[in-house]
Amino acid sequence: MAGGVGMDGGSGKIYPGKLTLFVLLTSIVAATGGLIFGYDIGISGGVTSMDSFLLKFFRGVYKQRRDSANLYCQFDSQLLTTFTSSLYIAGLIATFFASGITRVYGRKISMVIGGFSFLIGSALNGGALNIEMLIVGRIMLGVGVGFANQAVPVYLSEMAPARLRGGLNIGFQMFTTIGILAANLINYGTDKITGGWGWRVSLALAAVPAGMMTIGAFGLPDTPNSLIERGHMEKGRAMLERIRGTGDVDAEYHDMVEANEISKTVKHPFRNILQRRYRPQLVMPIAIPLFQQFTGINAIMFYAPVLFKTIGFGNDASLMSAVITGVVNVVATAVSIVTVDRYGRRFLFIEGGIQMAISQVVMAILLGVKLGTSGEGEMSKAYSILVVVVVCIFVSAFAWSWGPLGWLVPSEIFPLEIRSAAQSITVSMNLLFTFVIAQAFLAMLCHFKFAIFLFFALWVLIMTLFVYFFLPETKHVPIEEMATVWSQHWFWTRFVPAPHKELQEESHPKPHDNTTGNIAFI
């Protein structure tokens, strides 16, 4: 048994302050950035299951689906998956530009840029005349997602009181799930539009969440961390007092200023994150996004209508089934908001992993029994309903565990001096592995058949063990005190020794010591 695995994350400093209405409102506005990410996830699979969309841009897929008896391979097309996945390569590249802008100009500017870019992409997609125009529009949407996903989780973590950081940060994932649900409902409605142009409405309506985020971002205040980081010390303190609802912010303000002084010594954040003392902050933003995508969730959420149609649902039934999973996604995310700061990150990660693995094994059995390896067969209505129920069990587990926590945990563990760079790694890795899954899923479904769910179940088992052994509990720990969590963990302590004791003895500083203000850890 690993000795430090079960460490209680509530041992950090407790700063004075409360959840103010100001923080709640600004967090809600910022979290609307999740709408654009969620809307795109939900809209892609819906339009690619519409015959009118396939006839316009992917005639080969339409003919293949009409003529093929193998249900597993009806949508196997690299061009079709490129439509979905091109967004994520663009987002991956954009997030590295967003890192510098977020650090130099503040978090809200990145949100504004992301919103504008998404608006342009939605206009291009809604008015697309050819596949090239469609892909360019997707690239612009990707730039928007890259900037928004870089800035929003960090903004939420910096604004929230430590004891409520989990619930407020998960607001981003909540709006992501609302975006997915809205997209599924819109697809269900636009598919019924006569004349074959309903897909244009679905794609163009991405401008609505983009507009909400852009307008909202203009009115957002900067976080105290960002103001201090850019040299606005008095404004930073005033903002800290405002968001905590008290003038008693000396301890928290001191820690922010101290973290800022450390960050000034870091000229190359991407180079510094390679240092030994930042090893957990390098591993987690790579491992967690990888594991999050290899749960298989985005394969299901991207292609839910396609997947349900593949296993024998009609067009209306497949879109409605996607709506049902969307509702489950939203409700389960609300469960995470309520429980994450009470039961902690590790409990939800591990419980969700076990539930996902079991449901994927059951899904593989259900498809294997009815469709076998040939992909030829039919499902009764009752059997099809059972498949939807199993998918909902899987989606609910993801929605209260790896979905929100995959963004929450990375955003709260980074010290200020590498925060923008590390968040860029988180976002870029998330988008990279999202691209991989989005590009490969339909081909994998064609070749792996029902065993694709066993493939994802194996990954879920691996990631659950990873959390059990290597992820300490971070609930209630102030961001600026997170080094203590790593230094007390059975494995990471060999990389992150305890913070210098002189930094903890604020009331007895040593005179003429030039190292105390510049070195966070030994």
Side-chain angles (χ1 to χ4, degrees), residues 322-337:
V323 170
I324 292 171
T325 59
V327 172
V328 170
N329 200 13
V330 172
V331 173
T333 302
V335 171
S336 185
I337 291 176

mmCIF file of all heavy atoms in Angstrom, residues 322-337:
data_model
loop_
_atom_site.group_PDB
_atom_site.id
_atom_site.type_symbol
_atom_site.label_atom_id
_atom_site.label_comp_id
_atom_site.label_asym_id
_atom_site.label_seq_id
_atom_site.Cartn_x
_atom_site.Cartn_y
_atom_site.Cartn_z
ATOM 1 N N ALA A 322 -29.509 10.691 -28.280
ATOM 2 C CA ALA A 322 -28.424 11.624 -27.973
ATOM 3 C C ALA A 322 -28.909 12.722 -27.030
ATOM 4 O O ALA A 322 -28.162 13.178 -26.149
ATOM 5 C CB ALA A 322 -27.877 12.236 -29.262
ATOM 6 N N VAL A 323 -30.150 13.158 -27.190
ATOM 7 C CA VAL A 323 -30.722 14.148 -26.272
ATOM 8 C C VAL A 323 -30.813 13.569 -24.870
ATOM 9 O O VAL A 323 -30.480 14.246 -23.877
ATOM 10 C CB VAL A 323 -32.122 14.596 -26.767
ATOM 11 C CG1 VAL A 323 -32.817 15.429 -25.693
ATOM 12 C CG2 VAL A 323 -32.011 15.388 -28.061
ATOM 13 N N ILE A 324 -31.235 12.315 -24.770
ATOM 14 C CA ILE A 324 -31.364 11.667 -23.455
ATOM 15 C C ILE A 324 -30.006 11.607 -22.758
ATOM 16 O O ILE A 324 -29.880 11.938 -21.568
ATOM 17 C CB ILE A 324 -31.954 10.256 -23.614
ATOM 18 C CG1 ILE A 324 -33.408 10.346 -24.082
ATOM 19 C CG2 ILE A 324 -31.864 9.479 -22.296
ATOM 20 C CD1 ILE A 324 -34.017 9.007 -24.474
ATOM 21 N N THR A 325 -28.971 11.202 -23.470
ATOM 22 C CA THR A 325 -27.634 11.160 -22.867
ATOM 23 C C THR A 325 -27.164 12.559 -22.498
ATOM 24 O O THR A 325 -26.438 12.744 -21.511
ATOM 25 C CB THR A 325 -26.612 10.497 -23.807
ATOM 26 O OG1 THR A 325 -26.545 11.216 -25.046
ATOM 27 C CG2 THR A 325 -26.987 9.054 -24.090
ATOM 28 N N GLY A 326 -27.590 13.561 -23.276
ATOM 29 C CA GLY A 326 -27.241 14.948 -22.953
ATOM 30 C C GLY A 326 -27.864 15.402 -21.647
ATOM 31 O O GLY A 326 -27.222 16.093 -20.845
ATOM 32 N N VAL A 327 -29.099 15.026 -21.406
ATOM 33 C CA VAL A 327 -29.774 15.370 -20.148
ATOM 34 C C VAL A 327 -29.057 14.701 -18.971
ATOM 35 O O VAL A 327 -28.805 15.335 -17.928
ATOM 36 C CB VAL A 327 -31.253 14.934 -20.184
ATOM 37 C CG1 VAL A 327 -31.900 15.101 -18.809
ATOM 38 C CG2 VAL A 327 -32.018 15.748 -21.232
ATOM 39 N N VAL A 328 -28.719 13.435 -19.130
ATOM 40 C CA VAL A 328 -27.992 12.712 -18.080
ATOM 41 C C VAL A 328 -26.665 13.402 -17.794
ATOM 42 O O VAL A 328 -26.257 13.547 -16.634
ATOM 43 C CB VAL A 328 -27.760 11.247 -18.500
ATOM 44 C CG1 VAL A 328 -26.806 10.545 -17.537
ATOM 45 C CG2 VAL A 328 -29.089 10.502 -18.568
ATOM 46 N N ASN A 329 -26.002 13.848 -18.835
ATOM 47 C CA ASN A 329 -24.714 14.534 -18.709
ATOM 48 C C ASN A 329 -24.833 15.783 -17.842
ATOM 49 O O ASN A 329 -24.008 16.021 -16.948
ATOM 50 C CB ASN A 329 -24.217 14.893 -20.111
ATOM 51 C CG ASN A 329 -22.728 15.157 -20.157
ATOM 52 O OD1 ASN A 329 -21.988 14.854 -19.231
ATOM 53 N ND2 ASN A 329 -22.277 15.734 -21.253
ATOM 54 N N VAL A 330 -25.858 16.584 -18.081
ATOM 55 C CA VAL A 330 -26.066 17.821 -17.315
ATOM 56 C C VAL A 330 -26.373 17.516 -15.850
ATOM 57 O O VAL A 330 -25.789 18.110 -14.939
ATOM 58 C CB VAL A 330 -27.205 18.660 -17.939
ATOM 59 C CG1 VAL A 330 -27.550 19.840 -17.039
ATOM 60 C CG2 VAL A 330 -26.810 19.161 -19.327
ATOM 61 N N VAL A 331 -27.296 16.587 -15.621
ATOM 62 C CA VAL A 331 -27.708 16.265 -14.249
ATOM 63 C C VAL A 331 -26.527 15.713 -13.452
ATOM 64 O O VAL A 331 -26.298 16.089 -12.286
ATOM 65 C CB VAL A 331 -28.876 15.254 -14.251
ATOM 66 C CG1 VAL A 331 -29.189 14.789 -12.835
ATOM 67 C CG2 VAL A 331 -30.116 15.882 -14.891
ATOM 68 N N ALA A 332 -25.754 14.818 -14.054
ATOM 69 C CA ALA A 332 -24.628 14.213 -13.347
ATOM 70 C C ALA A 332 -23.531 15.227 -13.060
ATOM 71 O O ALA A 332 -22.841 15.134 -12.041
ATOM 72 C CB ALA A 332 -24.072 13.039 -14.154
ATOM 73 N N THR A 333 -23.356 16.205 -13.938
ATOM 74 C CA THR A 333 -22.377 17.265 -13.681
ATOM 75 C C THR A 333 -22.803 18.099 -12.482
ATOM 76 O O THR A 333 -21.963 18.521 -11.672
ATOM 77 C CB THR A 333 -22.208 18.169 -14.923
ATOM 78 O OG1 THR A 333 -21.807 17.356 -16.034
ATOM 79 C CG2 THR A 333 -21.146 19.234 -14.683
ATOM 80 N N ALA A 334 -24.101 18.333 -12.337
ATOM 81 C CA ALA A 334 -24.604 19.042 -11.156
ATOM 82 C C ALA A 334 -24.286 18.260 -9.883
ATOM 83 O O ALA A 334 -23.965 18.849 -8.839
ATOM 84 C CB ALA A 334 -26.113 19.260 -11.285
ATOM 85 N N VAL A 335 -24.338 16.945 -9.958
ATOM 86 C CA VAL A 335 -23.967 16.104 -8.810
ATOM 87 C C VAL A 335 -22.511 16.362 -8.427
ATOM 88 O O VAL A 335 -22.169 16.462 -7.243
ATOM 89 C CB VAL A 335 -24.174 14.607 -9.138
ATOM 90 C CG1 VAL A 335 -23.592 13.726 -8.037
ATOM 91 C CG2 VAL A 335 -25.656 14.305 -9.327
ATOM 92 N N SER A 336 -21.657 16.498 -9.414
ATOM 93 C CA SER A 336 -20.237 16.755 -9.149
ATOM 94 C C SER A 336 -20.034 18.095 -8.453
ATOM 95 O O SER A 336 -19.219 18.220 -7.533
ATOM 96 C CB SER A 336 -19.444 16.717 -10.463
ATOM 97 O OG SER A 336 -18.071 16.838 -10.215
ATOM 98 N N ILE A 337 -20.777 19.118 -8.878
ATOM 99 C CA ILE A 337 -20.660 20.444 -8.264
ATOM 100 C C ILE A 337 -20.968 20.366 -6.766
ATOM 101 O O ILE A 337 -20.287 20.982 -5.939
ATOM 102 C CB ILE A 337 -21.606 21.440 -8.958
ATOM 103 C CG1 ILE A 337 -21.114 21.734 -10.381
ATOM 104 C CG2 ILE A 337 -21.718 22.747 -8.159
ATOM 105 C CD1 ILE A 337 -22.036 22.631 -11.180
#
